[in-house]
Amino acid sequence: MWGKLCCGAWSGHDAIMMQWLYILALDQEVNKMKKKLLATILTGLLLAFTACGSQESPVIPEVTGTAIENTQESVLENAETETASQQEMQTETATTGKVEITTEDFEGSSDPENAERKYTYTYQVPTITIEGNEEAQEKIQKDLNAYVETFLDSINNSDFGTVYEGEMSGVTSYEELSFQVIRADDKVISVVWGNEGYNQGAHGWYIQDYRNYYTQTGEKITFDSLGNSFRDKALELVTKKAAEMQATDDCFFPDYEKSIKLVVLDGTEDMDAIYQEIYGADIAGTGNGPASPTFSITGDGFVFESGQYVLQPYAVGIVDFEIPAEDFGGALTADIF
């Protein structure tokens, strides 16, 4: 900032004046740094807390830690075993009624000798036990294992973590797969997968993927199984709640209404057909595959989610639409509450 002050001989008065000038300049620089730091902190807080309506975290049953033996089955075999240091880090047990769900934590990384790819990853493997109902238990476990396998395949068989020339971020690519129980009783098992990551670019991502099962059969819960008119009623209720949020917070896109269908999905929909309906056949693209459920089931009702960029900008975050079970009236015929 300042070079050496040596330009010939200085008088005592001149020397004192130069010292004062130096102190004043230094103080100005410090103030500038403080302002920059404060601006950075405020920007981070704005992005973290910008909200639209009520955004509450899923209700998770009480969790107690229990150490169990680490068993790695075929669900783990797709990892890069030659480079991934898969470890059991923690085991958690969530128990409600006759259902028990435990999770094991694992971690891994890219080959340190491979300069073309640099990344780390962590993931959780859940194990479910349904007392006296092995058939439903195995059916749900198979689906949970398949989700983990898909996660590992997406890391191993993609360009994730590719190091491009001229990258300036200095942040190693990473992906974290977490698992949480929203509800687990003798009628419904509702869980959510959280996927957080960064793969260079302007910012990272955080998405949530829901799975809902009937405890007694192990079958996935669909809108049709909840009631013949359940989907239509859900669209009506979410549309109404979104309009109320927009009127008070103005946090959705101007044309958000056309995308409401993307908030009410049970996993049976063809995403190509929905995208073409919303955005037009010319720009919708193909190969999107089946939908992922966008709802969870609590002890009181349903929560529908608008993910990043669905109805709202990225900075708003994820928006939840909480609908009490009684609001569905006769449209909800399944005995799950």
Side-chain angles (χ1 to χ4, degrees):
M1 177 176 65
W2 280 74
K4 293 182 178 179
L5 299 177
C6 52
C7 298
W10 293 90
S11 67
H13 180 269
D14 291 333
I16 292 173
M17 289 298 295
M18 290 304 299
Q19 290 177 359
W20 274 107
L21 289 173
Y22 177 81
I23 291 172
L24 289 173
L26 182 61
D27 185 62
Q28 291 176 352
E29 289 295 322
V30 171
N31 286 335
K32 290 180 180 179
M33 293 174 66
K34 288 181 178 179
K35 290 179 180 178
K36 290 180 179 180
L37 178 60
L38 179 59
T40 301
I41 294 174
L42 290 175
T43 301
L45 290 173
L46 178 61
L47 291 178
F49 293 101
T50 300
C52 180
S54 175
Q55 302 185 50
E56 297 183 4
S57 301
V59 177
I60 304 171
E62 182 179 355
V63 175
T64 57
T66 304
I68 63 174
E69 182 180 0
N70 177 8
T71 58
Q72 300 183 33
E73 301 179 355
S74 61
V75 68
L76 309 179
E77 294 175 357
N78 291 326
E80 295 182 355
T81 54
E82 72 279 6
T83 62
S85 58
Q86 296 175 337
Q87 304 173 357
E88 178 187 357
M89 299 166 59
Q90 181 182 7
T91 301
E92 296 180 341
T93 304
T95 306
T96 304
K98 299 181 180 179
V99 180
E100 181 179 81
I101 301 177
T102 62
T103 61
E104 293 178 84
D105 294 352
F106 297 86
E107 63 181 5
S109 64
S110 56
D111 185 348
E113 302 299 325
N114 183 1
E116 296 182 356
R117 296 180 72 189
K118 298 292 181 183
Y119 60 82
T120 62
Y121 61 92
T122 63
Y123 60 99
Q124 294 187 301
V125 179
T127 300
I128 184 169
T129 302
I130 304 177
E131 184 179 349
N133 195 340
E134 292 186 3
E135 183 178 353
Q137 171 184 305
E138 291 177 3
K139 188 176 296 186
I140 296 174
Q141 187 65 59
K142 182 179 180 180
D143 191 60
L144 297 176
N145 288 351
Y147 195 93
V148 177
E149 290 175 350
T150 299
F151 168 78
L152 295 174
D153 286 343
S154 70
I155 293 177
N156 296 329
N157 301 318
S158 69
D159 60 357
F160 180 71
T162 300
V163 178
Y164 298 100
E165 185 177 356
E167 285 182 352
M168 300 297 292
S169 71
V171 178
T172 300
S173 296
Y174 74 92
E175 191 164 2
E176 300 175 353
L177 182 66
S178 60
F179 178 85
Q180 290 182 326
V181 178
I182 298 173
R183 176 178 167 182
D185 54 38
D186 60 345
K187 292 185 176 181
V188 169
I189 296 171
S190 184
V191 301
V192 58
W193 295 95
N195 189 312
E196 177 183 348
Y198 175 74
N199 192 22
Q200 307 308 312
H203 54 71
W205 68 84
Y206 180 71
I207 59 175
Q208 296 186 143
D209 200 355
Y210 300 92
R211 292 293 184 272
N212 306 288
Y213 309 94
Y214 288 111
T215 305
Q216 297 303 315
T217 64
E219 297 291 336
K220 293 181 180 179
I221 298 177
T222 65
F223 294 153
D224 286 344
S225 70
L226 292 172
N228 291 334
S229 58
F230 183 88
R231 182 188 296 273
D232 292 338
K233 189 64 176 181
L235 280 169
E236 174 191 328
L237 293 171
V238 171
T239 300
K240 178 181 177 182
K241 200 167 188 66
E244 294 171 353
M245 292 181 180
Q246 182 71 342
T248 57
D249 299 331
D250 189 25
C251 55
F252 297 132
F253 295 125
D255 58 349
Y256 77 92
E257 295 97 334
K258 72 178 185 181
S259 301
I260 289 289
K261 282 189 175 181
L262 297 175
V263 181
V264 184
L265 303 172
D266 66 357
T268 63
E269 301 86 356
D270 177 4
M271 290 307 297
D272 285 340
I274 293 179
Y275 283 141
Q276 289 173 12
E277 177 184 345
I278 295 174
Y279 305 113
D282 295 336
I283 63 174
T286 57
N288 295 288
S292 292
T294 58
F295 76 104
S296 61
I297 305 174
T298 69
D300 302 316
F302 300 85
V303 180
F304 296 87
E305 177 196 286
S306 174
Q308 295 168 345
Y309 293 123
V310 177
L311 302 182
Q312 71 282 353
Y314 174 86
V316 174
I318 294 174
V319 177
D320 289 337
F321 300 91
E322 300 179 17
I323 313 293
E326 56 265 25
D327 287 5
F328 286 87
L332 175 61
T333 57
D335 180 20
I336 60 173
F337 293 100

